Structure formats: structure tokens, C-alpha cells
Amino acid sequence: MNHCPCFFRLKKGHGGSFRFLSQPIFWISDLQLPRRGPGGGRHQPIRVWVHPPRRNRTSGLSPASLGAGRGLGAKPAAATSRRRKNMAGAAGPGTGAGAAGGDGDDSLYPIAVLIDELRNEDVQLRLNSIKKLSTIALALGVERTRTELLPFLTDTIYDEDEVLLALAEQLGNFTGLVGGPDFAHCLLPPLESLATVEETVVRDKAVESLRQISQEHTSVALEAHFVPLVKRLASGDWFTSRTSACGLFSVCYPRASNAIKAEIRQHFRSLCSDDTPMVRRAAAAKLGEFAKVLELDSVKSEIVPLFTNLASDEQDSVRLLAVEACVSIAQLLSQEDLEALVMPILRQAAEDKSWRVRYMVADKFSELQKAVGPKITQDDLIPAFQNLLKDCEAEVRAAAAHKVKELCENLPIEGRETIIMDQILPFIKELVSDTNQHVKSALASVIMGLSTILGKENTIEHLLPLFLAQLKDECPEVRLNIISNLDCVNEVIGIRQLSQSLLPAIVELAEDAKWRVRLAIIEYMPLLAGQLGVEFFDEKLNSLCMAWLVDHVYAIREAATNNLMKLVQKFGIEWAQNTIVPKVLVMANDPNYLHRMTTLFCINVLSEACGQEITTKQMLPIVLKMAGDQVANVRFNVAKSLQKIGPILDTDALQEEVKPVLQKLGQDEDMDVKYFAQEAMSVVVQRLRKLDLPVKDCDEPSAPGADKNHFLRPRGPGEDAGKEGAAVRGGQSPCRAQVERLESSEASYILVAGSVAPNVPSSSSSLS
Amino acid sequence: MAAVSVLDPQGEFQLSSASLGESPGSADVPSSEQPELFLKKLQQCCVIFDFMDTLSDLKMKEYKRSTLNELVDYITISRGCLTEQTYPEVVRMVSCNIFRTLPPSDSNEFDPEEDEPTLEASWPHLQLVYEFFIRFLESQEFQPSIAKKYIDQKFVLQLLELFDSEDPRERDYLKTVLHRIYGKFLGLRAFIRKQINNIFLRFVYETEHFNGVAELLEILGSIINGFALPLKAEHKQFLVKVLIPLHTVRSLSLFHAQLAYCIVQFLEKDPSLTEPVIRGLMKFWPKTCSQKEVMFLGELEEILDVIEPSQFVKIQEPLFKQIAKCVSSPHFQVAERALYYWNNEYIMSLIEENSNVILPIMFSSLYRISKEHWNPAIVALVYNVLKAFMEMNSTMFDELTATYKSDRQREKKKEKEREELWKKLEDLELKRGLRRDGIIPT
């Protein structure tokens, strides 16, 4: 159950909650050894890719982490579940009775063989079989699936949780495979057993599938089969079945008859006061959902008392879930009832002695605000919010700080400014100098948004000093959060107001000792450049951008390279030619081979942005010169660069300059240089051939444009079909095939989950 | 009356009191006034100070500390001090001081093995309160029949929640407190066990976070020890549905010793539980975490040490299939730990008795490792094991060696058949898909 705020805890570890860590994979190191040094290292540049540790607690138990350390691995699970979805598309409910028709071929697929597969000793194989359960069902046909497969599954539910999880998921999409809605109830027995197992993940999945299937039941079948199942679960001995039942009430209630409705309500009531906290938590978590399907009278007479009890439960883990329910219940009631029935409890929750409950109130504040409406917000919620902003626990303050902007936005426009200025801003000012950096950084991530709400004058007078203070904060995260939201302020007062303080902040972040901080600020550079304008940029920031190119961390150099490209897109070719290109090219003579390679990487991305002329006249000579470099890494990167910029160059340059150099590199003593030179050569040759063809055969204008799209444009069916003959594979132009191959060869650098996959030049033979 | 003088009559502290800095007089208090003074001091100690603010109320903090010390001494030495009126006051004072919402943990993913625990700031007072409470519970005059009005279910529930404290010192005191309460309050025993169940179930299936699991298990170890025979269904359920699933938790290493102790206690009480326990361990056997595998193997050896031969026969097949997998683990610590079983004389004797069953299960793994394992130490150990088997049952050993190759081939063939089966099934599905989409006419 992932509702307890202590599991959405702020990440306080190093680099914890930086926004730029959203990427699931990051480098821990990049080894780019000079290859012909004294030892003569033999390897390609290797990047070690590492998956950041899975954060189980933030997401509750994830399916792949059934009891940490014994999951069968997240990777295959994720991959197969995607595949399974596709399969479900083919064989799922849409299939219907007709398509899945009762014609399994008995002779070919005796059930014994299939069941043997499901019983295999190897868990992995068993898991694979279960994941292909729909295939098995399809082979058996609907009749035998109902009479043989399902009973087998029901009887043998004692397996590893991983297998049970897959089974629970499969069965949710099985209606079509058992003969359509009329037979959907056949799926209930196995799912009922699954809904009683211990492992939460399995149970939750079984409940999810049951909910799905309930929709496919006819009303009669629902009362005859589904409701009894819910009742059985709700009165089960062990807590697991009762927890599962909590999630099923709301799906069968709306379609049940009145007598049964009363019974369902009765069951829900008793679960809300269950002996085990686990069940009460489950009931509290579903209270809001259940309230929504109830008649208004019952909400008032039954749900509100339940809510009141749960909100004053002895366990804070139950109380905090009641806060969530509060949002749903509040939406259903009139203002008067709300004031009388719900507000006393909400007030109490906002001052609960457990910080987890207060955190929950802070975390759900926007939802609560919308649910209770403007009047109660003003009378009750604003004072509560003020208290949360000065709570004694930093967790609570941070959660509240996160909501500042949303709260202000959602206030009624009339009188909004006064409320913010008088009742919110004083507390925000306090938070700017909070003792806890997570509180400050939470505030920094939203505070800029207030400027649009408060308008120019207030921003300059009241907010600007806060921005400036935060820009000077000692914690880089706070500064980053301010910088990343500059655009909000720019619209209101223009960025110039800030530039004086901005610059030192940027410079400091740019030189931060943590490379992730540097990486983050690089990513904001194009945005900053756009807002500060070219002059300011040239004067103050350009040198920073160039300095990053020689950073000692590869990720920074790479980001800096991409940054240059984005800047060129923003400031234009002329600017590039005057400011960037010369500096990049100078690095080609750097004694450090890593810097020389950076030149090549820059050229790879800049050539396209700069166009043919600059590429041919300024960049190409440098690249060609570097072909004689003494470090093999540089040489094979020359080959790769030539391949990359090839499409931008004209035929003459390709023929007379590039080709000879590649030919020479193709004879290189180093295996990898040779390989990449040959790769590039085949691309160049193909391009030359293609450039030639239209010139000779058709009467197209000569010197076909340097626009590479010309060669990549999708072809109509039959177009050029005869001419290109064997060269065209799978309806794609060879150029495209080439591009794809390139991408796949790039992909082989990626070392998944720590296993080292060497970059094998596997497909070179197929090319020559 | 030395015993009496520990209560200082003048020492009073209240937040509003002006008489704070007074030097404690050591005048004797007449015995008639002692109970009253005792109650008064108990009430005074209900005042809580903020220890996060290290500078505030220094004098009063010091005063409370010395008062608590007086209380501890008084309750230890004095006779006849526990009158009926004192019980509610003692419990109130203790509740005021120790029951609080534990603060959020400082590190997001607190790893008790790596991170330093956050120590309780108010420990100077808290420790004395715990100390006092334990002396109270252990006092010869202590009467559970009176105390049970105040030390009730709600009290115990709050006490149990404190076991989540990050401060190991506090958990250690709590352990003693709970143990005493369990011992003295018969009416609370079932309740305590049930609540511990709930804590464990939440820990396993909901949060994976609770600092006091090891301490609670330690208490349970002694509780299990005292279970009467035959075991009640409730206790068996606890073993199978709570203790065994505790093995699945990521932080197993923090409480594994205590857990294994509890399990073995159960099996010594009732050997018929061996089968469900071992099957449970097989079910939750770690798939990816080698450290946990080593722990499992350790626990299994402890179980095998006390297993009855009749029970061994029941579970030997699944058990040795698992051991065969461990022996062929590429992680040498896992393989090594499993191979050490053959150094255990009792286990050796069990294997020998059942070699006709175990040898065929183990043989192919052992044979393969002896040829393939990267670690020479493992290969050496495997040779020893093979040698032992050869001596045990040479006829069977020779047979298995002879049929090894054909067995492998048979396995490969089966593997191939399976692949074909699935291929056929997938073709079928594809065809149906196409038929449905109207691409192939039906």
C-alpha cells in the first residue's frame, strides 16, 4: 500500500531529488582510454550504464520486486508484459465467442502437454507458460478452456508469487477466451483464490482483474456469481480476503438490486471497523471510491460516520488514508453538510499529532481546496495551510511549500491578490530562509509561478527579493529550481531584472563540483540564452559553454556538445561561424586526445546546423587532418564523423577529399579504425552512386541539393523499384537502411543492466 | 533513613515555577510524607522538554533529570512505596514521556547496515523513564492485578509502535519492557502476539520498513520457547503465515539470526512442522540475491541439525533439488555454503541413509560443476562430495556416470520438443488472428 507519506519521502541522499535524474539510466563512468598508449588498450570507448536503484518504497511493491531479492527480474517482466498486452489485443475480449470459436484441435494439443508446461519444474519456464496462457486457451478452444483449463488453474494455485501474478493478470483478459460475457463467471473461482493469497501485488492484480471482469458480467450473472464472491471474501477468515473485498464493492454496487445494495453496505461497514489494521487501511483507501457510487442519503447516513471513525483511528496509517477519502466525500456533499459533517474532521487532521497525517493533508491540499469550494477554503483551509507551512516537521513544510502555487492559482480571482499578499506571502518569506534545504528547494520549484498571479508590481516589490535570495542559496538544488523556472518571471517582468544576480548563480553552478549539477545547468543554457539575448550571452556565458567542452566528465562534454547545437539553432549560422566554430576547431590541436575527440563530436552535431558551406570549407579540412592522429580512438572517430557529415557535403568533396582519406584509414593497422572506415566508406560510396544515378539517367537538375532529406524521403510503392533492384531492401532506400544500421550499431554501446556487450562489428561483411 | 532521603522535598520544577535554581537540600523526609512526595514528583516528570533546542530550559532539564534519578532510586530501594494510587500516576508519567510520534527518518532509504541511526535527542530523560518503568515492573511489590487497569491494550499498542524507533538503545529498553509485560499480564498475551503479527504483516506486505523487527523476534523467541504442547492452531498459523514470509524481506540480514532461532524453536517443539517450514523456504528461496541465499542455506542447516529422520524423508526431494541448484551457483559463496553441508556429520548420515534418492538428484549438477566451475576451491569441494557419494553407493554412482550423457541428450530433446510445441501454438494464434482480420479466408 503506497499511501503512507513516509514512503514518498523526500530524497535526501546525494543528488536525491534533482529533476534531471528523471532519466532511468545514467552513467557512472566513461572510460575512453587512449588506445595506443604504452599498454595499448584494445577497447572501444565503453560506457557503463547503470540502473539507479529501484525505489520500491516510493511506489509500493512493484510487481518485479516481490520480496526484494527474489523477483525474477524487472526486465523480462516488463518486456513480456508489453508483449502480453499485444497478445491480449489479438485474443482478448475483442475476440468474442465467434472468433475464438470452440474448435481447439484436440489431436495436436492434448491438454496434458499444455498442463505439463504449466507445471514445469523450472519457475522461469512455468512463468513463460503462464504468460502465454491465452495461447494455450486459444489452442484448447472455449469449451475445453472452461471445462479443463480453468479447473486445473483453480486447483493448483500454490505457486511462486511471480507466477501467480502473471496468472492474475492473464485472467483479467480472458473473457473472450472462455466464450464471452455469458461465461465470464467461469473466471471467478481462480481469481477468488488469487484474491486471498498473502502477497499484496498478486492480490491487487487479482482484484484489478476481478473489477475488469465484473463489467463484463450481465446484471443477472453479477448477482448470481459476483456478489456472492464479494460477500465470501468480505467474511473470510484471514485478513487477505477481506482486504481484497474492499476493492470490489464499488464495482458491483451500482448494478445490484436494493436488497443486495443494503447487504453490500453492511459488509463494507463491518470491514471499516475490522479488527486488523490492514483491512481498515484497505477500507479507508476505498472509502472515497465507494462513496461515489452510493446514493446521497446513504453517503450522509453511512459513509460520513465511517469516515469519522476511520479519521480518528488509533493507527496513523489508517487516519491518513481517511484524508484521501475526504476529497471524494467533500465533492458529494452540499456546503452545509460539508461544514457540519466533514470540516471538523479535516481541521482535526490538519493538526493531527502524527506528522504523516499532516503531511497527507499538505500533499492533498489542492484536491481538498477544489473539493470544499472557495468559501470554506478561505475560512478554514488558508489558516490550516499557514500552520502546515510552519509545521515542526520539515517533511510537512516541504509538502505544503510544493502546493503554494497551486493553492494561489485556485483561489477565486476576485480578492486573490489580497489573500496571497496578506495571508500567504508572509509565510513564504519565512520559508525562503528555512533551515531545511528540501523545504527551500520545494519552494524554489514553485515560487516563480506566483509572479504571473501577482502581476508586475507585486513581483518586483515582493517576490524579486525572494528570488534573489534563493539564487544565492547555499544549496545548488534551490538555485537550480529557480533558474529552471525563469520563463515564468520572464513573461512578467523580463529577465533583465534578474540578470545581475543570475550570472553569479549560473557561474557557480557551472563550476559546481557535482557533475550532475553542471549537467542540469547546461540543459537550461538554451533557454537562458534565448531569454538573455545574444549580446549578454556572448559577453558572459559563452566562455562557460566552451569550458564545458573540456570538462573531465564525458557526460558533461557530451551535453555541452548538444548545447552548442541548440545555441546555433537559436542564434543562427553567422553567429556560429564567428564565435563557436573557430574555438571548436582550435581544440583539434589540443594535446589531450579527449579534447581532440570533442572537436569531432561537435562537428558531428554542428555540421547539420551550420550547413554545407561552413562544413565543407571550415570543418572538413580539420577532420581530414585529424585522420593522421596518433591515437586510434581519434582516427576511428574521424571515420565516424566523415560518415555523419557525408550527407551534407557535395559530391566533389566526397569524391576527392573524403574518399581517399577513408581509403587510407581502411588500411589502418588498428582493427576498429579499419572497421569504422569501411563502414563510412560503404555509406559514402552508396551516396555517390545514388548521386550519380539521377544525374545520368534522368534529367534532374545537376548538383542535387545537399539536402539529405532528398535521399531519405519515403518512396511511393513502385517508385524506382526497377532501377534500384537489389539495393532496395524491404521497401526502404538503402540510405535509410544504412541509417538504421548506424543506430543499431550505436545501440550496442549500451550495456544493459551491467552485462558487458562488446561492440562487435558484426555486420561489416554483409555490406562489402 | 537513607532510603527515604533520595526524595528531595524541595526539588520542584514546573514551567511556571520560579523556584528553579534552588540547591537540592538533603533533609530527610518523614516517612508519612514520602508517598505524597513520590506522587508529586511523578506528576512533575510529566512535563516534556524540547531537546531539539539544545539551549532552552537547561536548568529545568537538569532538574527533571535529577528528579528522575531520585525516582529510580526510590522505587528500587523503598519498601511499600507502590500503593494503589501510585499505579495510574506511574503509567501516566511513563506514557507522557515515551509515547510520541516518531520523527521521520533522516535518510530516505535508511539502511541500518550502512547509515548511522538517528539517536533520540531526549535520551537523557527517556533513558531514566525507561529505567524507572522497568524497576517498577520488576519491583517485588508490583501487582499486575492493579496495574492491568492502566497497562491495557491501548498502552501496549503504543508501546509496540515505539519499536520502530531508530535508536537502538531505546529498542533495547523496549524489549525488556515488553518482555516483562508479556510475562506479568496474562490477559494481554494474546493481544500482544496478535499485534506483533500485524506489525510483521505490514512490514512484509506493505512497507518493508520497521526498525524493531529483530527485537520483537527476540521476544518471540522466548515466547515460543514457552508454548505449551500440543501447539495451538494460532501458533502454527503464525509460523507459516508470518514468520516464513518474513524471509522475503529485503533487509533480512538485520534480523535473520533471531528469525532462524524462532523457526528452530518451533521445530524443536513440534517436528511435524518441518515439512511446511522447508516447503515455505523453498517457495521464498531468493532468486537474485546471493547474500540472502547464503543466509537461507545457513538457516536450513540449523533446521537439518534438529530434523527427525522421518521428517527428512518427506522433504528430501524438493530440498535436494534446491541444494543442487545452490551447489551449481556461479556465486562461489553460495556454492561453498551448500557444499559445507557435507561436512556436517548428522546431515551426512541422513544423506547416506537416503543416497538412493539424493544421489540421482545431485549427480548431474555435481558432475557438471566438477568440469565447469570457475572457482578451483569449489571444484575441489565437489570432488570430495562426489567421492563421498561414490563410497556410499558405488553401483548407483557408476550407473549415473554411464547414463549421464544420454540423460543430457534426452533433456535436450525435450527442450526442443517444447520449443516446437510453442512454435506451433504461436502459429495457430497468428493464423487465427489473420483469419479474424479477414486476411486468410476461413
Side-chain angles (χ1 to χ4, degrees):
Chain A
M1 201 160 294
N2 59 355
H3 301 286
C4 181
C6 55
F7 318 120
F8 321 129
R9 295 288 313 291
L10 293 169
K11 296 168 187 156
K12 293 182 184 173
H14 77 120
S17 50
F18 286 147
R19 298 153 104 232
F20 53 87
L21 282 184
S22 58
Q23 226 180 335
I25 297 170
F26 57 89
W27 301 265
I28 52 166
S29 69
D30 54 324
L31 309 169
Q32 300 198 344
L33 305 168
R35 300 166 26 89
R36 265 318 119 89
R42 297 217 25 81
H43 294 287
Q44 309 270 339
I46 293 174
R47 289 181 211 156
V48 183
W49 295 78
V50 170
H51 287 267
R54 244 188 287 122
R55 302 222 174 248
N56 274 346
R57 288 177 200 168
T58 47
S59 58
L61 274 167
S62 74
S65 66
L66 297 168
R70 65 190 177 86
L72 290 174
K75 274 258 136 173
T80 35
S81 85
R82 212 171 304 126
R83 204 177 327 132
R84 200 206 51 70
K85 247 182 211 156
N86 297 338
M87 224 152 77
T95 318
D103 56 346
D105 191 335
D106 297 13
S107 58
L108 247 179
Y109 312 107
I111 183 140
V113 177
L114 300 175
I115 282 177
D116 243 20
E117 283 297 286
L118 296 173
R119 265 202 292 236
N120 196 301
E121 236 171 62
D122 187 336
V123 194
Q124 188 61 56
L125 290 176
R126 226 155 53 221
L127 186 61
N128 292 345
S129 311
I130 282 282
K131 284 184 172 161
K132 293 182 206 153
L133 199 61
S134 59
T135 311
I136 294 179
L138 204 57
L140 289 171
V142 291
E143 175 87 37
R144 298 185 62 206
T145 298
R146 285 199 301 268
T147 54
E148 293 174 54
L149 183 61
L150 286 177
F152 164 76
L153 292 173
T154 315
D155 290 342
T156 52
I157 293 182
Y158 174 82
D159 203 332
E160 304 241 0
D161 294 325
E162 200 84 33
V163 178
L164 297 184
L165 173 70
L167 178 60
E169 195 181 2
Q170 289 278 310
L171 290 176
N173 296 314
F174 241 56
T175 311
L177 294 164
V178 293
D182 289 344
F183 298 96
H185 60 85
C186 299
L187 298 169
L188 297 182
L191 282 172
E192 182 176 350
S193 314
L194 287 169
T196 61
V197 299
E198 258 81 24
E199 178 54 57
T200 327
V201 181
V202 177
R203 237 184 309 132
D204 287 351
K205 188 56 87 180
V207 169
E208 197 185 312
S209 290
L210 279 169
R211 287 168 69 112
Q212 208 169 323
I213 286 175
S214 74
Q215 304 306 321
E216 284 152 2
H217 277 68
T218 59
S219 298
V220 179
L222 197 77
E223 282 199 12
H225 302 284
F226 199 87
V227 174
L229 170 141
V230 177
K231 286 196 236 164
R232 275 196 302 277
L233 287 176
S235 43
D237 279 341
W238 190 240
F239 78 96
T240 52
S241 74
R242 302 200 298 278
T243 5
S244 294
C246 293
L248 296 174
F249 292 116
S250 63
V251 291
C252 54
Y253 188 84
R255 290 166 67 198
S257 67
N258 281 338
I260 289 184
K261 277 183 174 173
E263 273 183 67
I264 294 177
R265 288 200 304 271
Q266 171 57 37
H267 276 287
F268 192 82
R269 261 205 309 279
S270 61
L271 293 184
C272 281
S273 51
D274 197 277
D275 201 26
T276 18
M278 284 79 83
V279 178
R280 292 203 303 278
R281 277 195 287 276
K286 299 292 177 189
L287 183 65
E289 179 189 286
F290 189 55
K292 281 186 191 160
V293 299
L294 249 57
E295 299 77 11
L296 188 59
D297 282 346
S298 313
V299 173
K300 270 197 260 181
S301 63
E302 296 189 34
I303 294 290
V304 170
L306 293 177
F307 167 68
T308 315
N309 280 339
L310 291 170
S312 50
D313 196 276
E314 61 201 2
Q315 303 234 340
D316 59 0
S317 54
V318 179
R319 293 201 299 277
L320 65 91
L321 289 168
V323 175
E324 258 189 318
C326 185
V327 176
S328 311
I329 296 171
Q331 284 166 344
L332 302 169
L333 299 175
S334 68
Q335 286 281 313
E336 277 168 36
D337 292 334
L338 201 56
E339 182 59 59
L341 302 172
V342 175
M343 286 319 291
I345 295 162
L346 187 57
R347 274 179 225 129
Q348 184 189 314
E351 290 167 4
D352 197 282
K353 68 180 186 332
S354 163
W355 62 270
R356 291 185 180 85
V357 179
R358 299 196 304 273
Y359 174 99
M360 203 60 167
V361 175
D363 195 53
K364 298 275 162 211
F365 214 85
S366 306
E367 287 92 334
L368 288 167
Q369 184 189 4
K370 280 181 205 154
V372 300
K375 181 159 181 322
I376 295 181
T377 298
Q378 208 154 323
D379 298 346
D380 268 298
L381 289 194
I382 301 266
F385 192 70
Q386 292 170 341
N387 285 333
L388 294 171
L389 284 177
K390 53 177 192 191
D391 197 277
C392 61
E393 287 296 345
E395 310 281 325
V396 180
R397 290 201 302 279
H402 261 302
K403 301 288 163 185
V404 163
K405 184 188 150 203
E406 261 180 88
L407 172 97
C408 295
E409 261 175 355
N410 294 336
L411 290 171
I413 293 177
E414 201 179 322
R416 178 162 78 177
E417 200 180 306
T418 347
I419 297 179
I420 299 175
M421 297 300 297
D422 298 348
Q423 300 183 44
I424 308 278
L425 203 61
F427 292 89
I428 294 179
K429 282 182 182 159
E430 294 278 303
L431 286 189
V432 168
S433 48
D434 198 278
T435 48
N436 185 297
Q437 67 170 56
H438 300 285
V439 176
K440 286 186 292 187
S441 112
L443 182 68
S445 67
V446 296
I447 191 174
M448 307 289 267
L450 292 181
S451 50
T452 34
I453 303 172
L454 287 179
K456 192 170 174 180
E457 266 169 47
N458 283 326
T459 302
I460 292 175
E461 195 184 333
H462 298 286
L463 292 178
L464 198 57
L466 303 181
F467 300 158
L468 295 177
Q470 292 216 299
L471 268 179
K472 293 185 191 115
D473 198 277
E474 59 185 9
C475 164
E477 208 178 326
V478 175
R479 281 173 272 150
L480 264 179
N481 281 345
I482 289 288
I483 290 176
S484 63
N485 288 303
L486 276 176
D487 45 341
C488 314
V489 184
N490 195 24
E491 288 160 21
V492 182
I493 57 168
I495 208 164
R496 290 272 161 189
Q497 296 266 10
L498 278 174
S499 54
Q500 282 310 312
S501 312
L502 206 48
L503 194 66
I506 295 173
V507 172
E508 209 176 307
L509 288 169
E511 288 159 2
D512 197 282
K514 292 199 187 80
W515 67 266
R516 285 177 203 158
V517 174
R518 299 201 295 276
L519 185 64
I521 189 70
I522 294 177
E523 273 160 17
Y524 294 122
M525 265 302 150
L527 177 82
L528 287 170
Q531 286 172 356
L532 291 166
V534 67
E535 259 170 58
F536 186 90
F537 184 86
D538 279 346
E539 199 180 314
K540 317 271 185 184
L541 298 179
N542 197 10
S543 54
L544 284 178
C545 291
M546 301 316 287
W548 282 321
L549 287 176
V550 292
D551 197 282
H552 61 273
V553 174
Y554 176 76
I556 298 297
R557 296 198 298 274
E558 194 191 33
T561 311
N562 290 325
N563 176 42
L564 286 189
M565 181 188 69
K566 286 178 195 152
L567 290 174
V568 172
Q569 282 168 353
K570 213 153 228 151
F571 292 151
I573 296 177
E574 204 176 312
W575 176 81
Q577 198 172 4
N578 293 331
T579 47
I580 301 262
V581 174
K583 288 186 191 165
V584 167
L585 296 183
V586 164
M587 278 182 3
N589 300 319
D590 198 288
N592 185 335
Y593 85 102
L594 290 172
H595 299 172
R596 298 201 293 278
M597 289 212 302
T598 305
T599 300
L600 290 172
F601 297 147
C602 286
I603 288 175
N604 289 349
V605 296
L606 285 179
S607 58
E608 198 180 327
C610 287
Q612 192 183 27
E613 201 189 318
I614 298 179
T615 307
T616 316
K617 289 206 177 130
Q618 297 189 12
M619 296 178 180
L620 184 61
I622 301 288
V623 178
L624 295 174
K625 205 181 113 203
M626 289 168 85
D629 200 288
Q630 55 177 349
V631 177
N633 287 45
V634 176
R635 293 201 300 279
F636 77 64
N637 271 301
V638 165
K640 284 162 105 180
S641 288
L642 288 174
Q643 181 178 342
K644 274 233 170 77
I645 64 174
I648 299 156
L649 301 171
D650 62 26
T651 334
D652 288 346
L654 276 181
Q655 185 72 40
E656 276 150 37
E657 298 183 65
V658 175
K659 227 171 137 184
V661 169
L662 283 177
Q663 261 160 358
K664 187 166 158 262
L665 286 175
Q667 308 298 318
D668 200 280
E669 56 182 7
D670 185 279
M671 193 175 87
D672 295 321
V673 176
K674 227 188 263 182
Y675 166 71
F676 284 109
Q678 282 162 1
E679 280 257 282
M681 187 61 131
S682 65
V683 178
V684 168
V685 166
Q686 238 163 28
R687 210 181 99 80
L688 282 172
R689 195 181 303 147
K690 285 201 38 185
L691 285 174
D692 285 348
L693 278 177
V695 179
K696 281 178 195 162
D697 297 356
C698 330
D699 246 356
E700 269 187 17
S702 56
D707 176 13
K708 68 173 181 162
N709 290 332
H710 176 78
F711 304 101
L712 290 177
R713 104 191 121 90
R715 276 149 204 271
E719 186 188 356
D720 289 349
K723 245 182 274 171
E724 302 212 348
V728 179
R729 263 176 284 149
Q732 286 176 325
S733 73
C735 246
R736 169 161 303 179
Q738 197 58 54
V739 169
E740 277 179 3
R741 257 190 21 68
L742 263 179
E743 279 162 5
S744 68
S745 84
E746 290 286 335
S748 61
Y749 279 113
I750 298 171
L751 309 180
V752 179
S755 75
V756 178
N759 183 11
V760 190
S762 54
S763 46
S764 59
S765 57
S766 71
L767 270 169
S768 45
Chain B
M1 283 180 72
V4 179
S5 65
V6 294
L7 279 185
D8 166 19
Q10 292 166 25
E12 287 192 17
F13 66 94
Q14 271 159 8
L15 287 172
S16 56
S17 164
S19 61
L20 284 173
E22 282 170 33
S23 61
S26 53
D28 285 356
V29 183
S31 59
S32 58
E33 288 172 28
Q34 283 169 28
E36 200 186 326
L37 191 56
F38 180 52
L39 287 181
K40 211 167 171 189
K41 297 229 169 203
L42 281 172
Q43 282 159 8
Q44 285 174 350
C45 286
C46 290
V47 178
I48 309 295
F49 294 100
D50 179 9
F51 275 81
M52 296 314 278
D53 187 347
T54 45
L55 298 174
S56 69
D57 308 325
L58 285 179
K59 278 182 186 163
M60 286 190 278
K61 279 177 189 167
E62 175 53 28
Y63 224 98
K64 178 168 170 184
R65 202 189 57 77
S66 64
T67 309
L68 282 168
N69 265 326
E70 286 170 20
L71 290 176
V72 171
D73 291 346
Y74 178 71
I75 203 168
T76 318
I77 302 164
S78 309
R79 297 274 149 163
C81 63
L82 289 184
T83 58
E84 206 166 332
Q85 309 137 274
T86 54
Y87 282 83
E89 291 304 323
V90 168
V91 174
R92 192 168 80 90
M93 191 279 279
V94 171
S95 306
C96 279
N97 279 282
I98 67 172
F99 295 150
R100 64 211 189 276
T101 308
L102 296 169
S105 167
D106 260 348
S107 53
N108 182 39
E109 297 264 299
F110 177 67
D111 177 355
E113 276 184 330
E114 298 262 322
D115 303 338
E116 281 291 310
T118 315
L119 295 180
E120 182 56 51
S122 60
W123 192 242
H125 286 176
L126 212 49
Q127 178 179 19
L128 293 170
V129 176
Y130 278 119
E131 194 67 53
F132 170 77
F133 191 43
I134 289 173
R135 308 262 170 124
F136 170 71
L137 291 170
E138 285 175 349
S139 162
Q140 288 179 342
E141 296 166 18
F142 179 75
Q143 286 178 290
S145 54
I146 304 173
K148 74 179 179 194
K149 267 184 272 177
Y150 312 105
I151 297 180
D152 54 3
Q153 296 195 346
K154 189 159 184 260
F155 185 92
V156 169
L157 203 59
Q158 286 172 289
L159 196 70
L160 283 169
E161 271 173 29
L162 289 177
F163 275 83
D164 195 19
S165 168
E166 242 179 69
D167 193 330
R169 301 168 302 182
E170 178 168 20
R171 295 202 303 270
D172 209 48
Y173 270 106
L174 284 165
K175 193 171 68 188
T176 317
V177 170
L178 186 67
H179 193 263
R180 298 292 176 272
I181 292 179
Y182 191 89
K184 304 213 172 193
F185 297 84
L186 302 185
L188 286 173
R189 286 185 176 182
F191 180 79
I192 291 175
R193 288 197 305 268
K194 200 165 119 199
Q195 294 310 320
I196 294 181
N197 265 5
N198 288 342
I199 288 175
F200 284 169
L201 287 168
R202 183 168 75 149
F203 172 63
V204 174
Y205 294 116
E206 292 181 8
T207 66
E208 287 217 352
H209 174 90
F210 193 84
N211 290 317
V213 177
E215 283 81 3
L216 289 176
L217 282 169
E218 224 171 292
I219 298 170
L220 281 168
S222 70
I223 292 177
I224 295 165
N225 212 343
F227 281 161
L229 287 174
L231 289 178
K232 285 191 211 158
E234 176 214 327
H235 301 326
K236 290 185 186 171
Q237 190 182 51
F238 171 67
L239 171 69
V240 176
K241 296 219 168 189
V242 183
L243 286 186
I244 299 286
L246 268 177
H247 287 86
T248 62
V249 174
R250 182 167 36 172
S251 52
L252 176 67
S253 63
L254 296 173
F255 54 85
H256 181 250
Q258 290 85 349
L259 180 57
Y261 177 78
C262 285
I263 302 265
V264 173
Q265 287 290 308
F266 259 113
L267 298 186
E268 286 195 333
K269 284 262 164 194
D270 183 353
S272 72
L273 292 168
T274 313
E275 190 182 349
V277 165
I278 291 188
R279 285 196 186 276
L281 288 180
M282 302 290 121
K283 182 180 171 191
F284 295 131
W285 200 272
K287 297 282 190 298
T288 57
C289 180
S290 309
Q291 283 86 348
K292 273 177 77 176
E293 250 186 305
V294 174
M295 284 182 250
F296 271 56
L297 285 165
E299 181 173 347
L300 206 52
E301 185 165 2
E302 282 181 51
I303 294 172
L304 289 174
D305 270 334
V306 300
I307 200 169
E308 289 185 0
S310 61
Q311 296 295 326
F312 180 81
V313 178
K314 284 190 201 161
I315 43 84
Q316 55 182 354
E317 274 189 58
L319 179 64
F320 277 86
K321 276 179 188 160
Q322 184 57 56
I323 293 174
K325 275 187 215 160
C326 293
V327 163
S328 35
S329 166
H331 195 302
F332 80 97
Q333 285 175 338
V334 175
E336 190 181 56
R337 188 68 193 82
L339 288 165
Y340 280 164
Y341 282 12
W342 274 263
N343 295 343
N344 182 316
E345 272 179 35
Y346 183 60
I347 299 178
M348 246 333 232
S349 73
L350 291 168
I351 295 176
E352 191 158 6
E353 272 166 44
N354 300 286
S355 66
N356 55 335
V357 182
I358 294 169
L359 182 51
I361 297 172
M362 295 295 300
F363 184 79
S364 69
S365 299
L366 292 172
Y367 191 86
R368 198 162 35 79
I369 305 159
S370 71
K371 302 249 181 294
E372 287 173 7
H373 205 280
W374 61 273
N375 186 311
I378 297 297
V379 174
L381 280 169
V382 165
Y383 272 125
N384 283 340
V385 171
L386 280 171
K387 203 168 136 243
F389 272 127
M390 211 181 338
E391 283 160 8
M392 263 177 222
N393 196 338
S394 60
T395 9
M396 186 174 238
F397 191 89
D398 292 342
E399 254 171 52
L400 288 167
T401 321
T403 55
Y404 179 78
K405 264 205 181 128
S406 58
D407 282 351
R408 292 296 79 71
Q409 271 164 358
R410 211 170 44 236
E411 268 171 34
K412 268 190 194 147
K413 201 174 150 229
K414 229 174 138 189
E415 180 63 32
K416 222 172 151 190
E417 280 172 7
R418 166 166 43 254
E419 268 172 34
E420 272 167 23
L421 171 75
W422 280 107
K423 232 178 123 204
K424 276 187 210 157
L425 285 174
E426 267 153 29
D427 285 350
L428 177 85
E429 188 181 28
L430 200 68
K431 239 188 273 165
R432 271 174 214 258
L434 293 174
R435 206 179 292 166
R436 195 190 61 230
D437 299 340
I439 296 169
I440 305 181
T442 35

